[in-house]
Amino acid sequence: RISRTLTYLDIENKLMPNTTPLEEIENLSPDGVILGGGPSIENIGNCKEFIRNLDVPILGICLGHQIIAETFGGETKSAEVESYAQIELNILKEDGLFKDIGDTLKVWASHKDEVVKLPEEFEILANSEECDVESMKHKEKPIYGIQFHPEVQHTPRGGEIFENFNAICESWK
């Protein structure tokens, strides 16, 4: 769904498995990397290696968000109340990813697992009544995490999140 949404938005992309060797990704000279969702943090392939070693903007979605947190010393755990529903985000800081979005945003989010301890090098960009860390960003690097799913139609402005991330990638070049 992420790749299809990016293609629909005319954002060049290539879908690759998380087991792809780091060198293969580096040889493609990507402008950015999106780490998508998945069922379990135990099956993350080479994602932590990508996060540690790629010098490009990175966006982690749901499980990708949680992997970023753990890579930098944060903590995740099962949510107190598991849910998969539309929620309202409180945008605390625009910081590129939420450019021109406003103070709140309806999104479709999964709360089976969530970030419960923010890594030291990160700041919270958005929260909700369901989760304190709906979105985060590294304070110095263009590494972002979001708990919600911008690629689904239940996140009406999800395309704008991808376009904003694409703008971050283009300005990083």
Side-chain angles (χ1 to χ4, degrees), residues 35-42 44 47-48 51 59-79 83 109-119 122 131 133-136 144-149:
L35 303 174
S40 168
I41 202 141
E42 288 81 33
I44 62 171
C47 291
K48 286 188 176 185
I51 294 164
L59 173 62
I61 297 173
C62 197
L63 177 61
H65 166 69
Q66 296 155 21
I67 295 167
I68 289 170
E70 288 196 358
T71 299
F72 285 95
E75 293 178 20
T76 62
K77 73 170 193 169
S78 294
S83 68
S110 169
H111 290 98
K112 181 177 186 287
D113 298 303
E114 60 189 16
V115 176
V116 293
K117 180 183 172 202
L118 189 70
F122 281 72
C131 178
V133 188
E134 291 285 358
S135 179
M136 64 183 185
Y144 297 83
I146 56 177
Q147 181 68 41
F148 63 92
H149 293 272

Side-chain angles (χ1 to χ4, degrees), residues 8 32 43 48 90 92 109 115 128-129 149 152 162 167:
Y8 174 77
N43 300 314
K48 286 188 176 185
N90 302 307
L92 306 174
V115 176
S128 71
E129 288 186 17
H149 293 272
V152 299
F162 285 125

Side-chain angles (χ1 to χ4, degrees), residues 31-170:
D31 294 337
V33 171
I34 296 175
L35 303 174
S40 168
I41 202 141
E42 288 81 33
N43 300 314
I44 62 171
N46 296 330
C47 291
K48 286 188 176 185
E49 187 178 6
F50 303 158
I51 294 164
R52 282 189 206 101
N53 297 300
L54 290 173
D55 188 26
V56 297
I58 297 172
L59 173 62
I61 297 173
C62 197
L63 177 61
H65 166 69
Q66 296 155 21
I67 295 167
I68 289 170
E70 288 196 358
T71 299
F72 285 95
E75 293 178 20
T76 62
K77 73 170 193 169
S78 294
E80 304 231 349
V81 177
E82 289 187 24
S83 68
Y84 192 66
Q86 191 175 60
I87 63 165
E88 185 168 273
L89 286 188
N90 302 307
I91 312 273
L92 306 174
K93 191 169 183 184
E94 187 177 272
D95 203 278
L97 198 61
F98 295 107
K99 182 177 188 262
D100 297 329
I101 297 290
D103 295 336
T104 61
L105 177 66
K106 297 270 188 208
V107 300
W108 195 257
S110 169
H111 290 98
K112 181 177 186 287
D113 298 303
E114 60 189 16
V115 176
V116 293
K117 180 183 172 202
L118 189 70
E120 282 185 34
E121 302 95 348
F122 281 72
E123 61 186 333
I124 296 173
L125 299 182
N127 64 17
S128 71
E129 288 186 17
E130 291 78 9
C131 178
D132 290 336
V133 188
E134 291 285 358
S135 179
M136 64 183 185
K137 179 197 180 291
H138 194 283
K139 292 176 184 174
E140 297 175 10
K141 300 175 183 180
I143 300 176
Y144 297 83
I146 56 177
Q147 181 68 41
F148 63 92
H149 293 272
E151 73 276 13
V152 299
Q153 92 180 57
H154 296 297
T155 301
R157 298 181 70 188
E160 291 174 64
I161 301 296
F162 285 125
E163 289 171 334
N164 286 341
F165 181 67
N166 188 53
I168 290 165
C169 293
E170 290 183 350

